[in-house]
Amino acid sequence: GTPNILGCIRTGLVFHILDQIPPGAVAAAEGRMLKKVLSAWEGHSKIEILGPSSSTSSSSSSSSPGPGRTGIISFMIRYGNSKPGLYLHYNYVVALLNDLFGVQARGGCACAGPYAQWLLGMDAPMSTEMETKLAQTAQEVLRPGFARVGVHWAMSEEEVEILISSVRWIADHGWKLLAAYTFDRETGEWLHRLDVPGRKRDWISNLRLTPGALLAEGPSAPISELEEKVGLKPQAGTTSSTGSKAAPRTSEQLLAAAEQALKEAYSSAQVALSQSKWPILRPETANLLWFALPADVAFTLRSTVPDRPQLAPSASQIFADDSLTRPEHSILNARLGTEAGEGGNQEAPESNYEAWEPLDGMQPEEDEEDEAANGTAAAAAGPKFTANQLRPSIPKSLRGMVGKAISDFKMVEEGDRLLVGLSGGKDSLTVLHILLALRRSAPINFEIAAATVDPETPEFNPHPLVPYLEALGVKYHMLSKPIIE
């Protein structure tokens, strides 16, 4: 077929740019930006940064914010009702960063779930209770997590300043807008009450460009029309032909716009406090509530001390049950993990990976009964598999690292049921075989099953996995859905 000429050109340009960047420039630039951000946030009483801080780092480099820290910052913001008090929900913080400042961030839990729970001060009983209640109620808004932002070596100083000032503004004033927002109990998403997905939203993918139009100049060019439509074309302080003012671009302009949005937040044209509504949570989740709610701010702003964050006095506004006790403090505590990383009192998860370490000789000689059983299973399924295919040799260093991670962060406990997402590639099959090997010598009992989503495309056929998993004795689930269409 025809080679991917454009792809080759793009790849060549990437390497060409890479060759122009001095060695170490990217790490140095991101380290400098990261140190600036951390220094600006660490002194704020309401901003809690997960992981070791820069001020206590033993790193000797002036541009490095700490050993091993990348350009991604995970943090939480306190509501301020008391000390330690509740938090602002991470998805609410992410929504404010987007709506007020155009800063893109992520909110939620992390792939490294056990480590994230440890950083949030969650112990095993709390984690178990949270998981059980989430499964029973499907109220994902309660799921623990944090907001994440990052710095990039190509960011300008102004962009870094916008990131710094926007998070600090939300830490100072963000709680006051909470009554203007609502949330979805099942997804955990937070939206402004007047927002409708798709409202005032222009998608670049909706542009229909004719050949050469992308490079066209002048007010009739598609990109120029799009910029003017969303208010980005005119210079600051001027007005576009559609009558909309130019979007603020600098840190000072964005902060001024945020202050104006706060002043108008509860006007008759926006969300009147008297009309504020919010979802009701399930009563059985009352003790797990770790964040402030719109009801709290609606009560605060109508109280005699509207500048001090308070909690709604009646639990019936939140759980439809006035007999419940409303938590004043969050069950989560991001400072515990931070202090532990800096030599604090909280102990790291105990390591007992030697108990997980499989016996020497990961691939023991099978006795005749094992061989007969494998032969029977393979024959029944159709294809025959060699002993090495069914029980491959796993390097001791690899299974040792996996065993240590499982033990350190208590990723698997007695009676757990693990489901491995299986594509049939080397990565997922390696994970499966490591877990099978560890199970054979683990001090606890747990089950392993595998699952694959068949997209029903000719390029991917997972059906050969069926007899293979049957020969392994692993329960296998396959869901066929035309997800590519």
Side-chain angles (χ1 to χ4, degrees):
T2 304
N4 186 5
I5 298 175
L6 287 178
C8 292
I9 294 174
R10 290 174 180 139
T11 303
L13 288 172
V14 168
F15 281 102
H16 176 69
I17 294 174
L18 183 62
D19 288 339
Q20 312 307 308
I21 303 173
V26 172
E30 290 189 356
R32 184 177 63 256
M33 295 176 188
L34 187 57
K35 185 176 182 179
K36 181 177 181 180
V37 174
L38 292 175
S39 299
W41 291 351
E42 284 174 349
H44 200 291
S45 61
K46 289 187 178 181
I47 301 177
E48 297 181 2
I49 300 172
L50 276 67
S53 68
S54 62
S55 58
T56 58
S57 168
S58 60
S59 174
S60 59
S61 172
S62 60
S63 63
S64 175
R69 182 179 276 279
T70 64
I72 301 173
I73 309 166
S74 301
F75 66 96
M76 298 183 72
I77 294 179
R78 290 281 183 179
Y79 171 51
N81 58 301
S82 61
K83 290 186 178 182
L86 299 175
Y87 287 101
L88 296 180
H89 197 281
Y90 49 82
N91 279 340
Y92 171 66
V93 173
V94 168
L96 285 186
L97 284 171
N98 175 77
D99 297 351
L100 295 175
F101 301 97
V103 172
Q104 302 305 292
R106 294 185 65 186
C109 52
C111 297
Y115 177 59
Q117 291 176 14
W118 179 60
L119 287 175
L120 292 173
M122 298 180 64
D123 56 18
M126 184 192 304
S127 177
T128 300
E129 182 181 8
M130 180 70 74
E131 182 180 3
T132 301
K133 292 291 178 65
L134 288 174
Q136 292 174 347
T137 66
Q139 296 198 343
E140 285 291 313
V141 71
L142 294 170
R143 185 175 294 279
F146 39 82
R148 302 190 291 282
V149 295
V151 294
H152 184 266
W153 68 276
M155 289 174 67
S156 66
E157 290 299 323
E158 181 62 42
E159 289 170 331
V160 175
E161 188 57 40
I162 289 173
L163 176 61
I164 291 173
S165 58
S166 61
V167 172
R168 287 185 64 91
W169 189 93
I170 291 174
D172 289 331
H173 308 290
W175 67 270
K176 301 173 186 177
L177 291 168
L178 195 58
Y181 279 71
T182 187
F183 58 90
D184 188 305
R185 290 169 295 192
E186 281 70 39
T187 66
E189 183 180 14
W190 288 70
L191 291 171
H192 191 275
R193 287 188 51 220
L194 299 183
D195 186 29
V196 177
R199 185 176 77 97
K200 294 184 179 179
R201 187 172 292 176
D202 293 280
W203 301 96
I204 294 179
S205 58
N206 291 339
L207 287 175
R208 295 295 179 262
L209 302 179
T210 57
L214 186 60
L215 301 177
E217 298 180 355
S220 62
I223 298 299
S224 296
E225 292 179 1
L226 179 63
E227 288 181 335
E228 185 171 353
K229 184 176 181 181
V230 298
L232 295 177
K233 191 65 175 176
Q235 297 297 318
T238 63
T239 304
S240 68
S241 60
T242 59
S244 60
K245 287 190 175 181
R249 294 179 180 273
T250 67
S251 175
E252 291 77 9
Q253 292 170 354
L254 287 165
L255 290 174
E259 291 288 348
Q260 186 63 29
L262 180 57
K263 291 179 181 178
E264 301 174 353
Y266 303 106
S267 64
S268 58
Q270 295 295 322
V271 179
L273 281 176
S274 59
Q275 299 176 354
S276 294
K277 298 180 180 179
W278 44 83
I280 299 296
L281 298 175
R282 295 278 291 271
E284 58 265 41
T285 64
N287 65 308
L288 300 179
L289 188 59
W290 53 269
F291 54 91
L293 292 164
D296 299 323
V297 176
F299 169 77
T300 298
L301 296 181
R302 287 183 287 189
S303 71
T304 56
V305 281
D307 292 329
R308 182 171 62 85
Q310 304 169 62
L311 299 183
S314 174
S316 62
Q317 302 179 47
I318 300 169
F319 304 107
D321 187 345
D322 206 25
S323 64
L324 296 174
T325 301
R326 170 73 189 281
E328 181 181 353
H329 304 287
S330 169
I331 61 171
L332 310 180
N333 190 345
R335 292 197 182 279
L336 286 180
T338 301
E339 292 166 357
E342 298 169 0
N345 295 325
Q346 186 194 21
E347 295 183 0
E350 294 182 1
S351 175
N352 187 30
Y353 89 96
E354 290 184 357
W356 270 88
E357 180 68 28
L359 300 176
D360 289 338
M362 180 75 168
Q363 190 177 353
E365 294 294 329
E366 294 181 342
D367 56 29
E368 294 182 359
E369 292 183 2
D370 289 337
E371 292 178 354
N374 284 334
T376 302
K384 293 184 178 180
F385 302 98
T386 66
N388 191 54
Q389 288 174 325
L390 295 177
R391 190 177 286 192
S393 177
I394 308 295
K396 185 176 180 179
S397 59
L398 182 57
R399 68 178 190 267
M401 288 189 292
V402 175
K404 185 177 187 303
I406 290 176
S407 179
D408 282 356
F409 300 106
K410 297 180 175 61
M411 298 170 70
V412 182
E413 297 183 347
E414 178 70 31
D416 279 358
R417 303 167 65 192
L418 310 185
L419 184 65
V420 180
L422 204 62
S423 67
K426 62 181 183 299
D427 293 337
S428 58
L429 282 173
T430 298
V431 170
L432 176 63
H433 281 292
I434 291 176
L435 290 174
L436 290 173
L438 291 174
R439 185 178 64 173
R440 287 194 286 270
S441 60
I444 62 174
N445 296 312
F446 61 95
E447 299 178 25
I448 298 176
T452 303
V453 176
D454 178 11
E456 301 180 1
T457 61
E459 296 82 8
F460 178 66
N461 178 23
H463 292 277
L465 290 171
V466 175
Y468 182 61
L469 271 293
E470 185 176 350
L472 287 175
V474 175
K475 189 173 182 180
Y476 185 49
H477 308 273
M478 183 184 296
L479 176 65
S480 296
K481 289 287 184 180
I483 58 177
I484 306 299
E485 296 181 359

mmCIF file of all heavy atoms in Angstrom, residues 299 447 469:
data_model
loop_
_atom_site.group_PDB
_atom_site.id
_atom_site.type_symbol
_atom_site.label_atom_id
_atom_site.label_comp_id
_atom_site.label_asym_id
_atom_site.label_seq_id
_atom_site.Cartn_x
_atom_site.Cartn_y
_atom_site.Cartn_z
ATOM 1 N N PHE A 299 -26.837 28.366 52.725
ATOM 2 C CA PHE A 299 -27.116 28.774 54.114
ATOM 3 C C PHE A 299 -26.148 29.862 54.564
ATOM 4 O O PHE A 299 -26.543 30.847 55.194
ATOM 5 C CB PHE A 299 -26.995 27.553 55.038
ATOM 6 C CG PHE A 299 -26.994 27.898 56.497
ATOM 7 C CD1 PHE A 299 -28.172 28.221 57.154
ATOM 8 C CD2 PHE A 299 -25.796 27.934 57.216
ATOM 9 C CE1 PHE A 299 -28.154 28.557 58.505
ATOM 10 C CE2 PHE A 299 -25.778 28.270 58.554
ATOM 11 C CZ PHE A 299 -26.963 28.587 59.197
ATOM 12 N N GLU A 447 -9.317 -15.142 43.977
ATOM 13 C CA GLU A 447 -9.727 -15.694 42.693
ATOM 14 C C GLU A 447 -9.242 -14.797 41.559
ATOM 15 O O GLU A 447 -9.096 -13.581 41.725
ATOM 16 C CB GLU A 447 -11.255 -15.829 42.627
ATOM 17 C CG GLU A 447 -11.835 -16.753 43.677
ATOM 18 C CD GLU A 447 -13.352 -16.810 43.590
ATOM 19 O OE1 GLU A 447 -13.892 -16.542 42.485
ATOM 20 O OE2 GLU A 447 -13.995 -17.111 44.609
ATOM 21 N N LEU A 469 -7.606 -19.848 27.755
ATOM 22 C CA LEU A 469 -8.002 -19.596 29.142
ATOM 23 C C LEU A 469 -8.651 -20.825 29.763
ATOM 24 O O LEU A 469 -8.514 -21.074 30.965
ATOM 25 C CB LEU A 469 -8.961 -18.402 29.202
ATOM 26 C CG LEU A 469 -8.345 -16.996 29.356
ATOM 27 C CD1 LEU A 469 -7.683 -16.865 30.723
ATOM 28 C CD2 LEU A 469 -7.358 -16.679 28.257
#
